[in-house]
Amino acid sequence: MLNAINPFDALMDITARPQTVFVRGEGSYLWDDTGKRYLDFIQGWAVNCLGHSPLCIADALSAQAKRLITPSPAYYNDASLKLAKALVDKSCFDQVFFANSGAEANEGAIKLARKYGSLHKGGAYEIITFEGGFHGRTLATMSASGKKAFEPLFEPKVPGFRKARLNDLDSVKALINANTIAVMLEPIQGEAGVWPATDQFLQELRALTHEHGLLLIFDEIQTGMGRTGKLFHYEHADIEPDIMTLGKGIGGGVPLAALLATDKASCFAHGDQGGTFNGNPLMCAVGLAVLDEVSKPSFLKSAADTGLLLEGELQKLSARHGLGDVRGRGLLLALDLKLPIGAAIVAQALEAGLLLNSPQPDALRFMPALNVTREEIAEMIDGLDAILTRAGAARLVA
Ligand SMILES: Cc1ncc(COP(=O)(O)O)c(C=O)c1O
C-alpha cells in the first residue's frame, strides 16, 4: 500500500483532505491505492471535461512531448498558434494570451483592463466585481473575489475592486464613477454554491457597460468549454463580452488557461505580460485536442441533454427527500439541502465510493465529466439517495 510510505507531512497542509491516495483514473472513475473504486462527480473541480485520462489527451501529450516541449515563450510555436486561431474562430474574441492557471488568466484580465483604462479612460482602474464571486488565489484575484472567508486574509488587499450584488443592476450602477474601467463576473458563481446570473442581468450589464464605456469581463474558468451546454456561457445570453478568461476545462486536466480579448480591448504592449510556461506547446497540444472534441455540435448537444437529465434526476431526488431547489445550467448544478449537512454527506459518499462536493454547508455541487453516461448518473443518484435516506432516518430517530 502506498499509504504506508506516503509522506503526507511533506506537503504543506493547505486544506482538509481525506487520507485517500488516488493512483489511477479512467472516465468517470478513480481508484485509490487500496484498489477501491470511486464514481467521480467532482472531476478535478470541473476540470476533466472528457473524464479521467482520455485517450485523446494521452495521445496529444505523448506525441507533442516527443516532438517539442518548449522552445521558450520568446518564440512562436505551432501548437499555441493553432490553439489561439481555433479559439478565436469559435468565439467573439480576436486575440488570446495563454496562461497556466485560472488565477493567472484573471490577473491578466485585470491588468488588461487597467492598461485599457490608462490608454483610453484617463487612468481609470477600478473594476466592479461581485459579492460571492471567486476569481482565484493570487493577491489581486483574491481582492477581486467577493468570498467572505478571504476578507480578513493577506491585508492589505490590492485596491481597486468594488463589490456589487449579482442580478442587481442598481447595485452596479451605484458603484460606477470616473475611476471605473470594467465590470468582471462569473456568469454562474461556482464556488459560492452555483448561483447563476440571469440572462437578462447579463444583457443589462452589457448595455450598461456599453453606455459607460466600460469593459465587460467574463470569468468563464468554470462555465466555459461546454460546461453549461454551450461552448461559452455568454452565448446563452446572446451577448459579447470584451474579455473572457478560460481555465479548468480547456486543458481537460492539464494546467492550461487563456485570456481572450476583442481587438478593442487587446491592448498589451511589449513587456506588459508574459511568463515562462505561457503558451508552451505541450499544454497547447492538449488544449487543441480538447477543443476539437468539446466544440463538436454533437458533443455540446449531448452535454446539454445530459445536463437536463441530471437536473431532472436531482429534482426528483429533492422531491423524494423534501430538499430544496436545483440550480445551475448544463453540467454545473447544485442541490439545495436546506440544512448544513453538506460536509456529512460528502464524507459518507466518500466512504461509499462516490466523490461529491459541498461548496457551501447547505449545498452539493455536481460537475461530472461532460461525457458522463446515463448509467453513471443513475449510479450517483442511487448512491446519494441511499445516503439521504439514512440521513432522514437519523433525523427521525434523533
Ligand atoms: C470562476 C473561477 N475563476 C478562477 C478560478 C481560479 O482558477 P485556478 O484555481 O486555476 O487558479 C476558479 C477556480 O476554481 C474559478 O472557479
Side-chain angles (χ1 to χ4, degrees):
M1 241 177 44
L2 256 183
N3 248 346
I5 53 159
N6 201 63
F8 292 112
D9 293 345
L11 279 176
M12 288 194 192
D13 192 20
I14 49 104
T15 188
R17 283 184 271 223
Q19 298 228 324
T20 315
V21 180
F22 289 114
V23 294
R24 188 162 81 82
E26 192 182 322
S28 285
Y29 294 94
L30 276 170
W31 284 262
D32 72 14
D33 60 350
T34 69
K36 179 173 169 183
R37 191 178 84 153
Y38 299 78
L39 175 61
D40 187 2
F41 269 63
I42 297 180
Q43 286 288 357
W45 244 254
V47 165
N48 305 317
C49 51
L50 301 174
H52 288 285
S53 299
L55 199 58
C56 69
I57 293 189
D59 286 349
L61 270 175
S62 70
Q64 187 62 43
K66 285 180 203 150
R67 210 157 59 78
L68 175 65
I69 292 181
T70 186
S72 133
Y75 303 104
Y76 290 120
N77 71 74
D78 59 347
S80 75
L81 289 172
K82 278 188 206 155
L83 180 56
K85 178 75 170 77
L87 284 169
V88 161
D89 286 347
K90 292 177 194 303
S91 72
C92 64
F93 302 97
D94 300 300
Q95 291 197 310
V96 184
F97 170 80
F98 290 113
N100 309 286
S101 70
E104 192 192 4
N106 280 341
E107 282 271 343
I110 292 162
K111 284 168 66 178
L112 195 58
R114 286 189 173 198
K115 176 81 189 202
Y116 185 87
S118 75
L119 291 175
H120 303 296
K121 215 161 174 274
Y125 65 93
E126 279 186 6
I127 300 179
I128 298 173
T129 57
F130 289 83
E131 290 174 8
F134 181 78
H135 299 292
R137 289 175 178 279
T138 60
L139 263 184
T141 55
M142 284 180 91
S143 309
S145 298
K147 187 175 159 124
K148 274 264 171 265
F150 282 179
E151 277 176 14
L153 300 179
F154 311 121
E155 290 294 306
K157 292 281 189 312
V158 174
F161 299 100
R162 290 167 166 252
K163 310 285 172 353
R165 286 182 299 279
L166 198 66
N167 294 325
D168 179 349
L169 200 70
D170 287 338
S171 75
V172 182
K173 285 183 187 164
L175 296 178
I176 296 175
N177 65 64
N179 281 330
T180 313
I181 191 55
V183 176
M184 175 173 180
L185 82 165
E186 307 159 76
I188 299 177
Q189 290 189 339
E191 295 303 302
V194 188
W195 294 103
T198 63
D199 290 347
Q200 186 188 338
F201 178 68
L202 295 174
Q203 286 154 1
E204 287 169 354
L205 260 191
R206 180 65 285 188
L208 185 72
T209 46
H210 273 322
E211 187 190 324
H212 290 269
L214 307 177
L215 298 173
L216 182 60
I217 305 173
F218 267 36
D219 175 345
E220 293 231 27
I221 284 158
Q222 196 157 142
T223 55
M225 299 302 291
R227 177 59 49 191
T228 67
K230 296 220 183 256
L231 190 54
F232 307 116
H233 185 290
Y234 71 78
E235 297 169 42
H236 288 292
D238 204 16
I239 56 162
E240 297 190 347
D242 303 293
I243 295 174
M244 174 175 76
T245 52
L246 295 173
K248 294 184 183 281
I250 189 179
V254 305
L256 177 66
L259 162 65
L260 296 93
T262 59
D263 264 340
K264 180 184 97 172
S266 186
C267 59
F268 279 144
H270 290 182
D272 287 346
Q273 186 66 333
T276 303
F277 295 114
N278 296 346
N280 74 83
L282 193 60
M283 298 305 123
C284 288
V286 174
L288 259 178
V290 170
L291 185 63
D292 257 8
E293 186 60 26
V294 169
S295 63
K296 284 181 187 146
S298 57
F299 184 94
L300 288 168
K301 162 104 179 48
S302 159
D305 290 348
T306 311
L308 289 175
L309 172 78
L310 177 58
E311 192 177 340
E313 292 301 316
L314 288 171
Q315 278 160 352
K316 283 189 236 162
L317 189 76
S318 177
R320 274 203 297 283
H321 293 277
L323 306 177
D325 288 342
V326 177
R327 50 181 192 260
R329 205 166 208 169
L331 285 164
L332 179 57
L333 296 172
L335 170 62
D336 178 359
L337 297 167
K338 282 191 168 164
L339 290 170
I341 53 172
I345 290 179
V346 164
Q348 287 178 47
L350 182 78
E351 271 302 303
L354 172 60
L355 300 183
L356 294 177
N357 166 249
S358 169
Q360 298 297 321
D362 61 353
L364 291 176
R365 175 172 46 169
F366 304 85
M367 38 194 169
L370 301 183
N371 53 9
V372 65
T373 64
R374 290 174 164 268
E375 292 72 26
E376 289 158 354
I377 288 178
E379 185 184 335
M380 186 279 290
I381 293 285
D382 285 351
L384 185 52
D385 199 9
I387 293 167
L388 289 169
T389 302
R390 280 201 300 276
R395 271 207 305 279
L396 286 178
V397 171

